[in-house]
Amino acid sequence: MELPFAESYKIKMVEPIRRSTRQEREQWIKEAKYNLFNLPSNQVYIDLLTDSGTGAMSDRQWSAIMLGDESYAGASSYFNLKNAIRNILGFDYIMPTHQGRAAENVLFSVLVKEGDYIPGNSHFDTTKGHIEFRRAHAVDCTIDEAADTELIHPFKGNVDPQKLDNFLKEHSQRVPFVIVTITNNTAGGQPVSMKNLREVREICNRYGKLLVFDSARFAENAYFIKTREEGYAHKSIKEIVREMFSYADAMTMSSKKDAIVNIGGFIAMRDQELWRQCSKFNIMFEGYVTYGGMSGRDMNALAVGLDEGTEFDYLETRIKQVEYLGNRLDEFGIPYQKPAGGHAIFVDANKVLPNIPREQFRAQTLAIELYLEAGVRGVEIGTLLADRDPETRENRYPKLELLRLAIPRRTYTNNHMDVVAVALKNVYDRRNQITKGLEIVWEAPIMRHFTVELKPAE
């Protein structure tokens, strides 16, 4: 008999969590203005708001923290991080930042100017926010297959080469670089194939454009290449990672995901002149170039996390838990973006709550219903996140309205996934009774979903 699959780690420390009553949750979400970001964490039972900075660090990472060098300039922890990035990712020039959006802010301060176009595959919220804040335009060139949640396609995160080439033919002079997000978060945590990365690299070469990777979940992307793409089954994750990044000129990284740390990020690039241009902004916005908003102890933990996060056994455990939740939803007939993504399950709110008008925020309504049902906090990836058109100020309605259930790394057990699945089933079973959504009371002019205030629609 084949042995069942089990986690590639054992648990050393636990944190208590408390189940609340529905009556409590109804009061709490009202006080939070129907924005799950506003909830204190002790009002949440299972927190799937994000996988960013919420993972459990290993004993190796905690021991590395104790050896952190907190020198302002030239700390040994910086060189530990630099060596790890060079050895694992292949970049010679690096710049630490306090997290991924800071890396975008520094790099885009050099590369993006008003009127530019930045094509890529489904730019995530902070990426698009930093582009539009500079009065530039994010252009989505994701393959059309990503919009069909029921379609099984191994690499739904891919850039459509024809879309990209056609756009560059017309607008090349206003495109400073192309960005590829690995994995593609907005499309459902979907991976990008190695073949597609090569195709995009060739297109960038033809038009003389830089290629930048948004790399928060690069290791999960490598796992899918190993398990789904022909010719990579016998290669290690680290070998696949080196090839992936060989096609990039620069990268930004939120290390709070695949490097399994609570804070931190970095920029890496091949060109020393680009590093020099970024350094002035890094010093202004973040800190000196050898710490950039990070402590020495956190750089040490990040260096170890890059190593651990690119090991197959860890990735298999991590991704199979996401798959497990997807399989439970399949049992209940609940529609989600298939196949299951690398870091989250993305429930298709358009199919769960089609009777809710789209201007009443279907995915956010579903997120609120799940919280009321069981104290599970997810996040809307839909019209709230898509924000308003910066010129017309009209709501942008994306093709997909998704409730993202982002699973922290090494944090919850499959028993917790069972709770989430059954809670969703209970909501799904009464979906026809959910006839009204939400309306906005107040919103920020950009990236509104973090701080928006809502109320039940009348």
Side-chain angles (χ1 to χ4, degrees):
M1 180 182 294
E2 185 178 351
L3 293 174
F5 182 81
E7 290 79 6
S8 61
Y9 54 83
K10 58 184 180 180
I11 298 167
K12 268 189 174 179
M13 185 171 66
V14 296
E15 174 187 347
I17 54 177
R18 171 185 173 268
R19 278 183 286 190
S20 55
T21 67
R22 184 179 179 102
Q23 185 178 11
E24 287 176 319
R25 295 192 292 273
E26 287 174 351
Q27 181 62 32
W28 291 337
I29 199 63
K30 183 178 180 181
E31 292 170 353
K33 306 299 174 94
Y34 297 89
N35 182 347
L36 293 155
F37 283 97
N38 287 338
L39 290 170
S41 63
N42 62 6
Q43 295 175 356
V44 176
Y45 178 45
I46 300 173
D47 201 346
L48 308 184
L49 181 76
T50 181
D51 61 317
S52 180
T54 56
M57 288 198 296
S58 70
D59 51 357
R60 286 180 59 213
Q61 288 179 291
W62 282 110
S63 62
I65 280 177
M66 300 305 294
L67 299 174
D69 178 0
E70 305 304 339
S71 301
Y72 185 91
S76 61
S77 298
Y78 165 78
F79 293 102
N80 291 339
L81 176 58
K82 183 175 183 177
N83 289 336
I85 293 170
R86 179 188 292 121
N87 294 337
I88 296 171
L89 307 179
F91 290 93
D92 287 328
Y93 299 100
I94 76 144
M95 203 165 288
T97 62
H98 79 272
Q99 62 183 85
R101 68 193 63 187
E104 292 172 341
N105 189 36
V106 171
L107 184 63
F108 292 4
S109 292
V110 174
L111 296 180
V112 181
K113 64 181 184 300
E114 183 174 347
D116 281 348
Y117 292 102
I118 315 297
N121 59 337
S122 307
H123 313 64
F124 199 56
D125 55 0
T126 61
T127 314
K128 185 166 67 174
H130 281 300
I131 291 168
E132 293 183 348
F133 177 73
R134 291 166 172 82
R135 300 185 182 278
H137 310 277
V139 180
D140 187 6
C141 296
T142 309
I143 59 172
D144 292 337
E145 289 87 340
D148 183 350
T149 58
E150 294 298 317
L151 177 69
I152 302 297
H153 184 292
F155 294 102
K156 277 185 173 178
N158 279 358
V159 175
D160 186 318
Q162 196 60 56
K163 287 183 185 178
L164 178 61
D165 189 67
N166 289 344
F167 188 82
L168 286 171
K169 280 178 184 175
E170 188 173 351
H171 300 286
S172 176
Q173 70 280 5
R174 296 174 67 184
V175 174
F177 63 92
V178 174
I179 190 163
V180 178
T181 307
I182 48 176
T183 56
N184 185 331
N185 189 359
T186 306
Q190 297 296 310
V192 179
S193 71
M194 193 75 82
K195 178 177 181 288
N196 191 244
L197 294 178
R198 283 194 294 269
E199 290 171 333
V200 174
R201 175 74 268 173
E202 290 165 3
I203 292 170
C204 288
N205 287 346
R206 286 206 304 272
Y207 289 92
K209 301 302 174 185
L210 293 175
L211 178 54
V212 176
F213 287 177
D214 177 350
S215 313
R217 300 175 181 90
F218 74 93
E220 292 171 6
N221 200 91
Y223 174 91
F224 286 122
I225 289 173
K226 179 177 175 66
T227 56
R228 295 181 183 176
E229 190 163 359
E230 185 177 355
Y232 290 92
H234 299 295
K235 291 194 174 186
S236 71
I237 296 295
K238 285 183 169 64
E239 288 172 326
I240 294 169
V241 165
R242 283 301 292 263
E243 182 180 346
M244 284 166 52
F245 283 105
S246 72
Y247 303 122
D249 296 297
M251 62 171 285
T252 59
M253 176 76 180
S254 170
S255 305
K256 299 163 68 177
K257 285 86 167 175
D258 272 358
I260 331 171
V261 291
N262 303 129
I263 197 70
F266 60 86
I267 313 163
M269 63 277 282
R270 305 198 185 282
D271 180 58
Q272 186 180 34
E273 181 55 32
L274 178 58
W275 183 91
R276 285 173 172 156
Q277 291 178 45
C278 287
S279 65
K280 64 183 178 183
F281 293 104
N282 208 62
I283 291 169
M284 281 195 299
F285 300 152
E286 291 290 294
Y288 187 59
V289 292
T290 60
Y291 77 90
M294 292 187 71
S295 65
R297 66 198 71 163
D298 288 322
M299 286 190 282
N300 268 6
L302 169 48
V304 174
L306 283 172
D307 180 44
E308 292 185 352
T310 49
E311 288 297 323
F312 179 80
D313 286 349
Y314 153 74
L315 284 166
E316 185 178 40
T317 298
R318 191 276 187 290
I319 290 173
K320 279 189 176 296
Q321 185 172 57
V322 179
E323 187 180 289
Y324 176 85
L325 177 56
N327 290 339
R328 292 305 318 271
L329 299 192
D330 285 336
E331 293 175 28
F332 301 137
I334 298 171
Y336 65 92
Q337 176 67 291
K338 297 178 181 177
H343 69 288
I345 291 294
F346 291 70
V347 183
D348 190 338
N350 281 334
K351 292 181 178 176
V352 176
L353 298 176
N355 295 326
I356 300 289
R358 66 176 186 173
E359 60 270 19
Q360 292 182 10
F361 310 110
R362 291 168 182 161
Q364 182 72 6
T365 302
L366 182 57
I368 298 300
E369 290 292 335
L370 178 61
Y371 174 73
L372 291 172
E373 181 68 32
V376 177
R377 177 162 64 172
V379 71
E380 186 253 26
I381 308 291
T383 301
L384 277 179
L385 182 140
D387 222 318
R388 295 184 184 273
D389 184 286
E391 295 177 1
T392 68
R393 302 309 300 162
E394 296 294 323
N395 277 324
R396 290 185 285 205
Y397 293 101
K399 293 178 181 178
L400 296 176
E401 282 280 340
L402 302 171
L403 165 59
R404 187 185 75 174
L405 303 172
I407 300 175
R409 294 159 181 81
R410 302 188 294 209
T411 300
Y412 292 114
T413 69
N414 284 354
N415 288 335
H416 294 105
M417 299 302 104
D418 288 333
V419 171
V420 174
V422 172
L424 264 173
K425 177 188 184 300
N426 292 343
V427 174
Y428 189 63
D429 286 347
R430 58 179 173 81
R431 62 192 182 279
N432 292 329
Q433 301 167 31
I434 304 169
T435 57
K436 290 189 177 181
L438 301 159
E439 59 185 58
I440 292 175
V441 175
W442 177 86
E443 62 184 295
I446 191 169
M447 295 177 67
R448 64 184 179 183
H449 57 292
F450 287 110
T451 57
V452 68
E453 296 179 1
L454 301 152
K455 68 175 183 179
E458 297 178 357

